[in-house]
Amino acid sequence: MKMRHSFSNSTLSALFGITSRTISKRLRLGVSLLDEAIVWTFLDSLQHDRQAMASNNTAMARSLFHQSEDDVCVIFDGTYRYCQASSNLDAAQRLYSGHKRRPLYKIMVGVAPNGRILYVTGKYSATRTDSTILRHAFERGTLHRLQLNDVILADMGFASFQKFIEQQRGENLFEVRTSHKSKVAGANIDEETRRFNESRCVSLVRWRVEQTFGIFKQRFHYFQNANFKCTTEDFRKAKIMFALMNFFFEDITKDNNSLELTERIVARMNKTNLMAHFVCNFKLAESNLEHFADFRLFLLTNIDDHSIAAIFPPQTENNDLIMLACGSYQLKQAKLYLNRQNVKTTFKVGKVTKFNSYFIDNFKLDSEQGETIHFIVGQVASTKNNTSSLTASSNKTFLLIDTSKAGYEAILEYYCTCPMGLRTVGCCIHVMAIVWFLGGGYKCKNETVNPNLNLLCDITASRSSSTETNEESE
C-alpha cells in the first residue's frame, strides 16, 4: 500500500490502528526484507547472466540489428525521482534541475526489448547528462557482460556516449545505436535515407523503455512523491519497485503483425528513395503547386466518394496504415495533427499525369502501369487564424500510387520535404495524414480520437481548375 498508493504514515496509522512510529519501524523492516528477497533474484542477477539477458531479446530486434539467439539488446534511458531540497548548498546545486525547475536525482535504467528491466543504476545528480551517466556505468564495469554483436539502443541524448564507444571500440566491445531527427550538412540523399531508416529501426524497439516507465509510474505512486530526501535508503526503495515490476512481469511486445511488419522493414531498409531523387531533379520542392499545368485541386469541405476516387482510389484499413508507417505512432500523430481544436487545417491535394513516362523509365515499372499509376502532390498545414496557412515553403508531400493494387501495396513511392520525409522505412505524419484521410478517414467526421479534440474540425482547401473556373464564369 505504501508503494502502490503512496499513503503517508499517519494515514496508515489510522487505517491499522497503530502508532506512526510503529509504522515506520515496520516499513524499514519490510524494505530490508524485500531488498534481500527480490532485488538480487529479479533484478541485479539478470545483468550478470548473459543467457538470461539474451532470452529477453525479441525476434524483431534480432532481425533489425542482425543478431543471433545468443546476442543481447538493451535499451537505456534515464528517469528521475523528485526529492526534497537539501539544506547543504553544494548538494542543493547538484540536485536542482534547471529543466524541471525542482530538486531531483537521476536513475539510469536498462530494459530488454520485451520490456523486462535488466539494469538499474543510480543515484546521480540532476546536473549530469544521460550520456555521462551511462559512460560512468561503463567505466566502473556495470556493462561488463555486454560483448561483440550486442547492441545498446538509446535516444539522441546519448550521442556523445556513442562517439566514446566508437573511439574505444575493441575486439569484444558492444555497439551503440541512437535515434536522431536532424540532417547532416553535405550528405547526399541516399546517405540521409539510410541514416533515417536506421534511426527508425531504433525507434521501433526503443519505445519499450518509455512504455515501461509509464507502467512503472502508474503502478507505484510512491515514486512520484517528492516528500523524501535523496538518500541511499530511498534509492533502495526505488530498486525494490523495479524488482517488483520484473516479479509481476508481462510481455508487452505481443503483436499479431510483428512478423509481417519485420519482413517489410528488412526489405525496405536499403531501399533508395526514388521519389526524393525525382523531386530534387525537377526541383519540385521549391515550386508552388499551382505551377503544374494539369494540376487539379479538390475542395475537401464537401467531398464525396466519387471525388476522392478520382484522385486516390485505394481504400486503406487500419492494418494497411500500420504496415505503411511500420508502426502505429505516425497514424496516431497524423490523426491528432488533423484534429486539433480551434485550428484551421488547410489541405491541398491533386493529381499530376505528365510525369508518367518518367516513372515507367526510372522507377522500374511495367509499361502497362502507365494507365494505372497516379502521381499525387499534397500540402497539409495548420494555422490558428483565418488566413491561408499554405505557402511556397510549406511541407510538400509526393506520392506515387498504383490504382490496380489494394491496401498499402498501392503506395509505390512517397517523399515529404519535412526533416523526416526521406526515410523509406515508415513515413512521416504528413504522408500518413494524406493517405489516411483520402483512404477513408474523411468518412469518420464523427469519430473522436481524443476526448479533448474534435476530428477534422475544419478541413478546407482551395480549388483551382481552369475549366471549372470558365464554367462558373459562364
Side-chain angles (χ1 to χ4, degrees):
M1 293 180 67
K2 182 74 172 179
M3 293 184 177
R4 287 295 299 270
H5 303 291
S6 189
F7 289 156
S8 64
N9 288 356
S10 59
T11 302
L12 294 175
S13 175
L15 288 174
F16 293 102
I18 55 180
T19 64
S20 296
R21 187 171 183 177
T22 303
I23 290 289
S24 299
K25 290 181 179 179
R26 298 293 174 85
L27 287 176
R28 284 196 296 269
L29 177 61
V31 168
S32 178
L33 293 176
L34 285 173
D35 191 17
E36 296 176 358
I38 67 173
V39 170
W40 171 259
T41 304
F42 294 99
L43 184 60
D44 289 344
S45 63
L46 296 177
Q47 61 186 269
H48 298 282
D49 187 352
R50 276 191 57 83
Q51 185 176 359
M53 290 193 291
S55 64
N56 289 285
N57 205 347
T58 60
M60 175 177 282
R62 294 190 186 99
S63 300
L64 296 182
F65 306 118
H66 310 290
Q67 293 184 300
S68 65
E69 295 288 336
D70 299 326
D71 294 331
V72 177
C73 180
V74 186
I75 311 157
F76 275 99
D77 200 6
T79 187
Y80 50 86
R81 170 88 159 93
Y82 292 128
C83 60
Q84 292 180 348
S86 176
S87 58
N88 182 280
L89 179 60
D90 181 60
Q93 289 177 341
R94 287 187 285 110
L95 289 177
Y96 184 78
S97 171
H99 176 63
K100 298 295 182 180
R101 299 185 181 277
R102 58 188 303 182
L104 56 87
Y105 67 86
K106 293 185 176 180
I107 302 173
M108 183 59 60
V109 180
V111 178
N114 68 346
R116 190 181 293 274
I117 301 170
L118 303 179
Y119 292 89
V120 176
T121 178
K123 52 191 187 306
Y124 295 96
S125 64
T127 56
R128 301 192 67 170
T129 63
D130 290 344
S131 191
T132 57
I133 291 174
L134 193 55
R135 177 171 176 174
H136 176 264
F138 169 77
E139 291 175 344
R140 72 177 186 179
T142 305
L143 311 179
H144 69 284
R145 290 291 180 182
L146 300 182
Q147 301 175 2
L148 186 67
N149 296 328
D150 293 342
V151 175
I152 285 180
L153 305 181
D155 58 26
M156 53 188 176
F158 292 81
S160 60
F161 177 72
Q162 182 183 23
K163 294 180 181 179
F164 169 75
I165 292 298
E166 291 175 353
Q167 294 172 356
Q168 304 290 324
R169 194 72 185 269
E171 182 178 354
N172 295 318
L173 208 55
F174 51 85
E175 181 182 3
V176 179
R177 298 195 179 203
T178 60
S179 58
H180 49 81
K181 298 180 180 180
S182 59
K183 296 183 179 180
V184 176
N188 58 40
I189 292 177
D190 293 335
E191 291 176 354
E192 287 295 295
T193 302
R194 179 185 56 81
R195 288 181 65 253
F196 281 114
N197 285 346
E198 292 176 353
S199 177
R200 179 58 180 155
C201 290
V202 173
S203 300
L204 284 167
V205 182
R206 203 195 70 82
W207 67 270
R208 268 82 179 189
V209 70
E210 304 291 350
Q211 184 169 0
T212 300
F213 286 158
I215 296 173
F216 176 77
K217 294 177 181 179
Q218 184 180 17
R219 289 182 178 178
F220 300 103
H221 294 174
Y222 178 84
F223 190 78
Q224 296 176 304
N225 193 333
N227 297 323
F228 298 94
K229 295 181 180 180
C230 177
T231 61
T232 303
E233 183 71 13
D234 189 67
F235 179 65
R236 285 177 64 193
K237 296 176 183 177
K239 291 193 70 173
I240 290 173
M241 289 184 277
F242 282 111
L244 287 172
M245 282 280 292
N246 282 346
F247 182 76
F248 298 102
F249 172 72
E250 296 179 2
D251 194 343
I252 61 177
T253 61
K254 296 178 181 178
D255 187 356
N256 296 330
N257 297 328
S258 59
L259 180 59
E260 184 181 2
L261 183 61
T262 303
E263 292 176 350
R264 175 174 171 81
I265 294 171
V266 173
R268 296 183 64 85
M269 186 64 193
N270 296 317
K271 185 182 184 305
T272 302
N273 196 323
L274 299 176
M275 183 60 71
H277 284 282
F278 163 73
V279 171
C280 291
N281 290 340
F282 286 86
K283 298 182 179 180
L284 300 183
E286 294 83 8
S287 304
N288 290 324
L289 297 181
E290 288 78 4
H291 290 174
F292 295 102
D294 55 354
F295 191 82
R296 294 190 303 154
L297 296 175
F298 288 82
L299 186 64
L300 298 182
T301 51
N302 298 312
I303 58 176
D304 53 30
D305 293 343
H306 178 73
S307 61
I308 290 294
I311 185 171
F312 196 90
Q315 293 295 302
T316 53
E317 302 293 337
N318 192 63
N319 289 337
D320 295 322
L321 298 173
I322 292 176
M323 293 298 295
L324 175 65
C326 296
S328 59
Y329 178 78
Q330 274 69 28
L331 175 58
K332 296 176 182 178
Q333 292 299 311
K335 291 180 179 180
L336 294 177
Y337 185 75
L338 296 177
N339 300 341
R340 288 176 288 181
Q341 268 187 337
N342 302 322
V343 174
K344 176 185 176 182
T345 302
T346 307
F347 198 100
K348 283 186 178 181
V349 64
K351 181 176 66 175
V352 184
T353 58
K354 66 180 181 180
F355 296 110
N356 284 13
S357 59
Y358 176 91
F359 296 140
I360 294 175
D361 295 337
N362 296 275
F363 285 21
K364 300 179 180 179
L365 302 178
D366 297 333
S367 58
E368 299 177 354
Q369 290 181 281
E371 301 296 328
T372 60
I373 58 174
H374 285 187
F375 175 47
I376 297 175
V377 183
Q379 275 184 299
V380 183
S382 299
T383 182
K384 292 186 178 181
N385 51 42
N386 294 325
T387 60
S388 175
S389 60
L390 287 182
T391 63
S393 60
S394 299
N395 292 323
K396 299 180 179 65
T397 303
F398 305 88
L399 298 96
L400 185 66
I401 65 172
D402 189 345
T403 59
S404 64
K405 298 182 179 180
Y408 69 91
E409 295 181 351
I411 315 297
L412 302 180
E413 298 286 341
Y414 50 85
Y415 168 66
C416 181
T417 57
C418 72
M420 298 286 103
L422 268 174
R423 63 188 180 200
T424 56
V425 174
C427 62
C428 67
I429 63 171
H430 304 101
V431 172
M432 180 53 61
I434 290 180
V435 174
W436 171 74
F437 185 82
L438 298 181
Y442 65 92
K443 301 178 182 178
C444 308
K445 294 183 179 180
N446 296 323
E447 177 187 343
T448 301
V449 180
N450 187 302
N452 299 322
L453 298 173
N454 294 326
L455 181 70
L456 304 177
C457 54
D458 186 13
I459 300 293
T460 61
S462 303
R463 186 174 184 178
S464 174
S465 175
S466 58
T467 57
E468 293 172 351
T469 304
N470 293 335
E471 292 176 357
E472 291 177 358
S473 61
E474 293 175 359

